Amino acid sequence: MNTQIPILIADDDEDDRFLIKTAFRDNQFTNELFFVSDGVELMHFLTRQGQYADAEKYPRPGIIFLDLNMPRKDGWEALSEIKQDPELRSIPVVVLTTSNSERDILRTYESGANCYITKPISFDQLLQIVRSFGHFWLQVASIPGR
């Protein structure tokens, strides 16, 4: 079981970050959650640059939640960099975004994402998504390096 893996969430919306954090807590998942607000910060975290240089303070995530629409470097660019990097490509990436476009879904999977979830409208739906995510990714699935 991979229940205590660190989870990195890349989302520029402060309200969404708060709701995701609350949904994990309300579902009683105790994983350490790390938040970044854009793709540049995400890549700095993953490559231990700048403020993220301390590997003990900022461990390699076991899973990444990725919003596609972020400033500076969007989720598409970050996903491409992650999946092209031999050191990072094995980290599962769960896209959590507002788009439900079939074109975006297809492009995301073609780019190497492991899962695509459209952000729900209600907090109750988010609770259910996090519960399902936790059951599969934290209790059923085997994740590299854990």
Side-chain angles (χ1 to χ4, degrees), residues 79 83 89 91 93 107-115:
L79 176 61
K83 293 305 178 179
R89 76 176 79 177
I91 301 171
V93 176
R107 180 178 170 200
T108 300
Y109 281 111
E110 287 175 343
S111 297
N114 300 86
C115 183

Side-chain angles (χ1 to χ4, degrees), residues 42-122:
L42 169 63
M43 295 312 298
H44 285 174
F45 187 106
L46 294 173
T47 58
R48 295 197 175 29
Q49 294 179 40
Q51 73 182 61
Y52 303 107
D54 185 341
E56 285 193 34
K57 188 174 180 183
Y58 301 105
R60 177 185 169 101
I63 297 177
I64 300 168
F65 271 92
L66 179 64
D67 186 19
L68 294 176
N69 303 308
M70 295 184 294
R72 297 200 305 164
K73 180 181 290 188
D74 66 23
W76 301 107
E77 293 171 282
L79 176 61
S80 178
E81 285 182 39
I82 291 165
K83 293 305 178 179
Q84 290 178 20
D85 186 318
E87 298 295 317
L88 303 175
R89 76 176 79 177
S90 65
I91 301 171
V93 176
V94 174
V95 170
L96 180 63
T97 193
T98 55
S99 173
N100 62 359
S101 157
E102 184 65 30
R103 188 172 137 238
D104 286 347
I105 294 168
L106 179 61
R107 180 178 170 200
T108 300
Y109 281 111
E110 287 175 343
S111 297
N114 300 86
C115 183
Y116 189 101
I117 300 170
T118 302
K119 286 182 181 176
I121 295 169
S122 75

Side-chain angles (χ1 to χ4, degrees), residues 2-10 16-35 63-66 94 96 117 123 126-138:
N2 296 316
T3 57
Q4 289 308 305
I5 62 167
I7 298 171
L8 178 57
I9 299 158
D16 285 350
R17 291 191 307 260
F18 173 78
L19 292 172
I20 291 167
K21 183 177 183 177
T22 303
F24 270 87
R25 184 197 67 219
D26 288 1
N27 276 300
Q28 300 177 349
F29 293 117
T30 58
N31 299 73
E32 195 167 13
L33 302 178
F34 296 90
F35 293 89
I63 297 177
I64 300 168
F65 271 92
L66 179 64
V94 174
L96 180 63
I117 300 170
F123 183 69
L126 180 61
L127 281 172
Q128 180 57 45
I129 287 170
V130 169
R131 186 176 306 119
S132 297
F133 160 85
H135 174 72
F136 180 76
W137 287 102
L138 303 176

